[in-house]
Structure formats: C-alpha cells, structure tokens
Amino acid sequence: MSRVEHGSDGDWMVRAIPAAQATKIYRCPGCDHEIQTGVAHVVTWPSAEHGSVADRRHWHTSCWKARDRRGPTRRWS
C-alpha cells in the first residue's frame, strides 16, 4: 500500500517494502550503499503529477527520512 508524503522536495509516493518481500539488491541513493535482500526499506517515486513508477527508487528507510538534511548522494538517472 502506497502513501503520499509531502516534503520540501515535493510530493512523493512511498511504499514500505517488508523484509520478507525484499528479494533483490538495490543501491540506496541516500547513502550509495546496497540494500541487501531481506532488508526492509521503502520505494519512492514522484507523485502522479510529477512522475511515474518508472522514476521509483529504493531507499533505506532511515536514509529516506534524512533526505532533507542529506539529499541523494548521486544522480537518479
């Protein structure tokens, strides 16, 4: 289930991925470290007006919460 989060960087769709459903390795744009399989995290993408599911990124939950202080470490392209 997705939810909308409002932040200084815009509106984002956010979906929590439980550890049991984390079956692939992703690189977190917040810390540039891998999110290993079996690690709960969030997947985010710009809200419907500004982006699509193709723009989604997987973040460590703590990195996502700290994005206003730190921002992404690398380009999202």
Side-chain angles (χ1 to χ4, degrees), residues 18-52:
Q21 292 179 358
T23 59
K24 294 168 89 175
I25 295 174
Y26 295 96
R27 185 159 302 271
C28 175
C31 67
D32 204 30
H33 290 111
E34 289 182 344
I35 303 170
Q36 295 293 322
T37 58
V39 174
H41 62 281
V42 295
V43 62
T44 68
W45 62 95
S47 66
E49 299 85 30
H50 302 104
S52 69

Side-chain angles (χ1 to χ4, degrees), residues 6-74:
H6 309 283
S8 62
D9 56 351
D11 295 339
W12 295 89
M13 298 299 296
V14 179
R15 180 178 297 155
I17 306 297
Q21 292 179 358
T23 59
K24 294 168 89 175
I25 295 174
Y26 295 96
R27 185 159 302 271
C28 175
C31 67
D32 204 30
H33 290 111
E34 289 182 344
I35 303 170
Q36 295 293 322
T37 58
V39 174
H41 62 281
V42 295
V43 62
T44 68
W45 62 95
S47 66
E49 299 85 30
H50 302 104
S52 69
V53 175
D55 300 316
R56 65 185 170 198
R57 297 294 179 266
H58 293 254
W59 292 69
H60 291 108
T61 303
S62 59
C63 292
W64 175 250
K65 290 178 181 176
R67 75 188 186 286
D68 283 340
R69 294 190 310 272
R70 296 187 336 206
T73 58
R74 60 193 187 118

